Amino acid sequence: MGALRMGGEEAEGRNALARGSWKQDPDAVKTDILRVAREEFATHGLSGARIDHIAARTRTSKRMIYYYFGDKDGLYRRVLEEAYRTVRGREASLDLAGLPPVEALRKLVGHTFDHHRDNPEFIRLVMIENIHHGAHLAVSDVIRELNSAAIENLEDIYGRGLEAGLFREGLSALQLHWQISALSFFSVSNRATFTLIFGDSLYAPDRRGDMRRDVEEMVLRYVMK
Amino acid sequence: MGALRMGGEEAEGRNALARGSWKQDPDAVKTDILRVAREEFATHGLSGARIDHIAARTRTSKRMIYYYFGDKDGLYRRVLEEAYRTVRGREASLDLAGLPPVEALRKLVGHTFDHHRDNPEFIRLVMIENIHHGAHLAVSDVIRELNSAAIENLEDIYGRGLEAGLFREGLSALQLHWQISALSFFSVSNRATFTLIFGDSLYAPDRRGDMRRDVEEMVLRYVMK
DNA sequence: GTAAGAATGTACTAAATAGTTAAAAGCGTC
DNA sequence: GACGCTTTTAACTATTTAGTACATTCTTAC
């Protein structure tokens, strides 16, 4: 007894693991679960996400989710950690030390803006985490390593700008990072409501470059003498 | 078993409506439900909110929630609409027409910043609505009326600043509103994760004025020649 | 006062959902 | 080639949760 046949796509994926002949590949299974879970959490939030939905779109089963990640919160935490880890990796790739301060700052701002716009899934995860008052990030150890890259870059640039007499005194790298983040983050996080209320003129596809330039301009004008 | 006693406030509230003698007061009931529901939705999100929790903290019953608001989504939509309505009311109270452009702009920015900081519940509702891609705002009629106040104020100020030769050309009220909103909104929406990662130096109670001044400064420097 | 309708209380239901149980198949090791 | 550990399958459960049925009480118009 027990219906052994399954429908469509699922069947193919599962056939490889069908009863009586399957290969063990724990890493691939974990990666697969995390990929699907990231989409589910980013789309529906923590409470809105359904373990059964995730399981259905994975090539493995619900049991494995619990086997590897313990419970729903554990899975969510891992998804969040991986998201932050990935972002951190990308940030390091920027080489600004060789550029003069103004150009370096402009490039950093533009890069941050683009990065946010290109990774709405990550933005959504951060929004969701903020809805939950950062409770899951608080018990994670990944975060402490995160402050380094962006802030250190900014500190270097700001310092060089000061020395060159181009930037005004009394600002801080942390504050600048905050402002750059605010403008870049909001551009993604509040797009839905903003567009609904004010129309999509600011968000037309060919306007993305304009918005980016405006954000760069705003930061530069704030920093420069 | 069967604890019949309830704690403090609740008991009093329900006694008034106890079996055999109760007064009808539909408006008070609706208001009460909306107040509790707003807190619940703002705290836990749409999927995370529990109708039973709302009912328990209301002085009426779950039955009445469905009687007046149809279903969970209907209740959420009403909460959202009321939140926007309230905000719109407060925005109109600002009188800037008499001020010279620079001061008017500074005051508008400061007011927006303060308003966001003082109404985190509203910010959270907007965050939640964005998580849901604005799907509920999209089917509401309250929003269309909203664009007016803030944008018109800005248009007036910007126009007067141009005439006076104080502001630079080529900007738009919508864009300015976007930037002001971004800085003010982010200050509340991402406070949790930002504080966890970078510490609370920017958010220390005695620093709020500094942040407000920085935001004002950033906008003014962007707009002025 | 009485009938019709609005408002409310109590108890219930059906479905969804996080998490579990039990067993069996692969895999390395001796 | 069997033993122990890891990985996987399939079916199951207990609880939570949105939503409802139905009776009852208040209010107002006549």
Side-chain angles (χ1 to χ4, degrees), chain A residues 17-203:
Chain A
L17 305 175
R19 194 184 196 96
S21 81
W22 48 272
K23 289 277 184 288
Q24 291 190 1
D25 194 349
D27 284 345
V29 168
K30 281 184 246 183
T31 306
D32 188 37
I33 292 174
L34 283 175
R35 197 200 79 243
V36 177
R38 192 184 61 234
E39 291 175 16
E40 175 80 5
F41 283 126
T43 309
H44 298 104
L46 174 51
S47 330
R50 296 290 165 247
I51 296 283
D52 284 323
H53 291 183
I54 296 172
R57 285 166 43 218
T58 298
R59 59 177 228 276
T60 181
S61 66
K62 178 159 72 157
R63 180 66 185 79
M64 295 313 292
I65 296 174
Y66 287 96
Y67 182 71
Y68 284 123
F69 301 102
D71 57 8
K72 191 182 182 180
D73 261 49
L75 178 59
Y76 171 75
R77 207 176 308 134
R78 277 295 302 278
V79 165
L80 199 63
E81 285 180 5
E82 290 307 314
Y84 269 108
R85 219 187 293 275
T86 306
V87 165
R88 187 185 40 149
R90 269 191 291 248
E91 262 171 1
S93 70
L94 207 61
D95 184 30
L96 302 167
L99 292 176
V102 175
E103 286 161 52
L105 183 54
R106 185 184 292 277
K107 190 171 172 186
L108 176 66
V109 174
H111 172 266
T112 304
F113 180 84
D114 280 342
H115 181 268
H116 282 63
R117 282 299 273 269
D118 291 335
N119 292 278
E121 219 175 43
F122 173 70
I123 302 294
R124 293 175 62 81
L125 286 173
V126 176
M127 292 166 73
I128 290 161
E129 183 56 10
N130 272 292
I131 292 286
H132 293 274
H133 304 95
H136 307 86
L137 214 54
V139 297
S140 172
D141 51 336
V142 189
I143 24 168
R144 299 295 163 200
E145 318 157 29
L146 261 175
N147 46 3
S148 45
I151 295 291
E152 278 169 22
N153 265 339
L154 262 171
E155 226 138 40
D156 172 63
I157 296 171
Y158 180 55
R160 290 193 288 126
L162 277 183
E163 274 181 44
L166 294 165
F167 295 168
R168 59 197 183 102
E169 312 263 348
L171 308 180
S172 80
L174 183 56
Q175 172 201 3
L176 291 176
H177 177 67
W178 185 91
Q179 291 164 335
I180 296 167
S181 296
L183 294 167
S184 300
F185 195 96
F186 186 86
S187 146
V188 180
S189 68
N190 285 49
R191 180 170 182 163
T193 53
F194 202 92
T195 298
L196 275 169
I197 295 177
F198 298 107
D200 54 2
S201 62
L202 288 184
Y203 283 98

Side-chain angles (χ1 to χ4, degrees), chain B residues 111-140:
Chain B
H111 173 267
T112 304
F113 181 84
D114 280 342
H115 182 269
H116 282 62
R117 282 298 272 270
D118 291 335
N119 293 278
E121 220 174 45
F122 173 70
I123 302 294
R124 293 175 62 81
L125 287 173
V126 176
M127 292 167 73
I128 290 161
E129 183 56 11
N130 273 292
I131 292 286
H132 293 275
H133 305 94
H136 307 86
L137 214 53
V139 298
S140 172

Side-chain angles (χ1 to χ4, degrees), chain B residues 20-22 24 49-51 62-63 66 72:
Chain B
S21 78
W22 45 273
Q24 291 189 358
R50 297 288 165 249
I51 295 283
K62 180 158 72 156
R63 177 69 186 78
Y66 287 96
K72 192 181 182 180

